[in-house]
Amino acid sequence: PEVVNWSGTHACRPVAVHAPETVAEVEALVARYHAAGEKLRPCGGALSPNGLALSDGALLNLALLDDIVAVDADEKTCTVRCGARVEQVLDALAPHGLTLENLASIAQQQIGGFVGAGAHGTGASLPPVDETVLSLKVVTPGRGIVTVNRGDPLFPLFTVSLGLLGVAVEATLRCVPKHDLRERVEVLTRADAIARHAAYLRDNRHVRFMWIPHVDAVVVVTNNPTLGGELGEGQGLACAVPEAERVAPLRDALRSCGGDGEGLNFAQLRDACLAAAPLDLPHIQRLNFAEAEFWRRSQGTDVADSSKKLNFECGGSQWVNECCFPCGTLAKPDGRDMAYMAELLELIEAGGVPAPAPIEQRWTSGSSSALSPAASAEPGALFSWVGIIMYLPTDDVEQRRRITTAFDAYKRACEARLWPKFGAVEHWAKVEAATPEAAAIARDRLRARF
């Protein structure tokens, strides 16, 4: 059978797919393949944009090993099998008044990949999710089942291990009390965003910037804990603009190129507009202006459970690349995050790159995991994560080929002009190497970093 990743950009035809239901079955499979000298690759939900776990060899998927083993409300921990999806864990924690500290954008991730590939949310005082792991049970080729606990000398090698040391089958995670988040959406000029960014990082538990290429607009989304589920005095006003009016600029953009768009939501309208001319610079500029106007009409404040606010719409089939680099400390940001964005936008706009919105920028503190892109022993270390994107809005083979070529050139320009200067490395789930030469460059960069 063919296995295709979530982004629709990578596929494989494995010779075998194993779906064990017990830890004993995992142990037997790992021992069998080890004895035969054959490869066996752990594969979760195939959500990684680069198809990180895909292989034409044998795959081991833990989707059926998804038990919630225990929830300790007093200690605020949960122990789960690594095939459990993030959304399952959240559902299991809710009756105990608990939730996970931070989330990436997709709740369908299995816990094994969530931890093993170094997923992250956003919040300058919050680390990547691997730092919430307290204990891991791993089936190894040479030593059978190994349990490692935070504080053990080898523990930092097992979190963000990419499946290299074995198959993670069980994890104990640190949890936090279940809470609502007050989300505030604002649209700033670039100058305002740069001037205020340090205060945003300091004063908000979660913050992300969405920069819109070719438009002087930065969407700032902040989330902070609140109680009671309602907006109180001084907490801002809900967005008063109806949905139909908010998406009107995108619907008008679609009608200008022969479409209709009635009944489509924001993400669907953007895809439909992109499909008309995905690499035409004036078209992309007009679309980005329309998207900026959508966000201006969407400004306001809203309260919902943290699991709803920290998971968000990522769009459909797409090419995406994300890099991570240090930018000082939370107490003393060095401004490299803003300098990076200024140079990236210059690269795009001076170079005529038909870059759609958004360029998403998030922040985390450091990680003790040896292979984390945010690995650091410095207290209060601050890292910025910047993602670029090009959507694949249709199944037309030729159109997808041209977008793929354009995105590769876009990414390679960032790789050559920005990453060495800022000490950036890619998120493990977003390392792309289309040619042997590109793979050699990536290996050299990763070898130098790790």
Side-chain angles (χ1 to χ4, degrees):
E2 185 177 58
V3 179
V4 181
N5 73 329
W6 173 79
S7 295
T9 52
H10 294 275
C12 68
R13 291 187 175 275
V15 296
V17 178
H18 301 284
E21 297 183 45
T22 67
V23 172
E25 289 178 45
V26 177
E27 193 172 11
L29 282 164
V30 171
R32 188 181 104 200
Y33 276 83
H34 180 55
E38 297 176 354
K39 291 182 179 180
L40 177 65
R41 180 172 291 185
C43 180
L47 294 174
S48 296
N50 64 353
L52 179 64
L54 301 188
S55 169
D56 290 331
L59 298 181
L60 189 153
N61 188 286
L62 298 185
L64 301 180
L65 195 66
D66 63 350
D67 310 278
I68 308 299
V69 178
V71 176
D72 188 328
D74 293 331
E75 293 297 322
K76 296 183 178 62
T77 65
C78 67
T79 299
V80 303
R81 302 296 195 197
C82 286
R85 298 185 307 278
V86 170
E87 59 191 353
Q88 289 177 264
V89 177
L90 294 172
D91 288 344
L93 290 174
H96 299 274
L98 297 174
T99 191
L100 296 178
E101 180 179 77
N102 211 347
L103 303 174
S105 54
I106 303 172
Q108 291 78 30
Q109 289 171 299
Q110 291 182 12
I111 292 297
F114 187 60
V115 172
H120 66 92
T122 190
S125 64
L126 299 173
V129 300
D130 47 278
E131 281 296 294
T132 67
V133 179
L134 302 176
S135 178
L136 273 179
K137 186 177 288 184
V138 182
V139 177
T140 67
R143 297 192 178 184
I145 297 177
V146 171
T147 299
V148 289
N149 299 301
R150 185 164 293 279
D152 293 347
L154 294 180
F155 187 80
L157 299 178
F158 280 85
T159 47
V160 195
S161 66
L162 309 172
L164 295 171
L165 301 179
V167 182
V169 291
E170 187 177 288
T172 298
L173 307 173
R174 182 178 71 238
C175 304
V176 297
K178 192 174 186 295
H179 57 280
D180 289 334
L181 288 174
R182 184 191 73 243
E183 180 179 83
R184 179 167 293 166
V185 176
E186 304 172 83
V187 181
L188 307 181
T189 65
R190 292 177 182 178
D192 280 345
I194 291 168
R196 297 167 59 185
H197 103 282
Y200 274 110
L201 297 183
R202 183 186 64 244
D203 296 342
N204 295 281
R205 183 168 177 81
H206 306 274
V207 59
R208 59 189 171 102
F209 283 11
M210 293 187 288
W211 301 76
I212 301 183
H214 307 290
V215 184
D216 186 12
V218 184
V219 184
V220 178
V221 182
T222 58
N223 276 280
N224 291 288
T226 190
L227 298 173
E230 296 181 1
L231 289 172
E233 185 177 351
Q235 290 190 318
L237 300 174
C239 176
V241 182
E243 175 73 12
E245 188 175 337
R246 291 164 57 207
V247 300
L250 289 131
R251 193 167 57 246
D252 291 344
L254 181 58
R255 286 172 176 164
S256 72
C257 48
D260 178 25
E262 197 63 41
L264 299 184
N265 65 24
F266 163 71
Q268 292 167 334
L269 283 165
R270 180 173 58 193
D271 271 0
C273 288
L274 284 166
L279 297 177
D280 180 75
L281 180 58
H283 178 71
I284 295 300
Q285 289 171 329
R286 288 191 296 271
L287 177 56
N288 286 1
F289 273 101
E291 182 162 340
E293 184 56 31
F294 163 81
W295 285 110
R296 290 189 182 100
R297 298 180 184 193
S298 301
Q299 293 180 102
T301 309
D302 183 53
V303 173
D305 186 79
S306 64
S307 63
K308 301 294 188 292
K309 289 302 181 185
L310 299 180
N311 290 314
F312 50 86
E313 172 65 62
C314 292
S317 184
Q318 59 194 242
W319 285 108
V320 61
N321 182 268
E322 184 182 42
C323 71
C324 173
F325 55 92
C327 50
T329 65
L330 179 56
K332 194 173 181 179
D334 62 17
R336 286 161 54 83
D337 46 0
M338 295 296 98
Y340 185 97
M341 289 309 308
E343 293 195 27
L344 173 57
L345 291 165
E346 171 68 16
L347 180 156
I348 291 167
E349 291 162 2
V353 178
I359 298 173
E360 187 171 327
Q361 185 171 34
R362 293 188 272 178
W363 290 267
T364 68
S365 61
S367 167
S368 62
S369 298
L371 287 180
S372 171
S376 176
E378 182 178 5
L382 180 63
F383 288 83
S384 183
W385 305 72
V386 176
I388 60 172
I389 196 166
M390 277 191 177
Y391 300 94
L392 295 160
T394 75
D395 292 329
D396 181 85
V397 174
E398 177 58 22
Q399 185 187 79
R400 291 171 74 92
R401 185 196 65 77
R402 290 188 291 107
I403 295 170
T404 298
T405 299
F407 183 78
D408 184 57
Y410 181 16
K411 188 215 80 168
R412 284 189 288 106
C414 297
E415 180 181 46
R417 292 173 53 180
L418 302 179
W419 296 356
K421 179 176 180 178
F422 289 89
V425 293
E426 291 160 291
H427 188 305
W428 287 109
K430 294 160 188 174
V431 178
E432 297 279 3
T435 66
E437 293 78 11
I441 292 170
R443 279 194 297 270
D444 288 345
R445 179 174 59 253
L446 294 170
R447 188 178 294 114
R449 174 67 173 80
F450 297 106

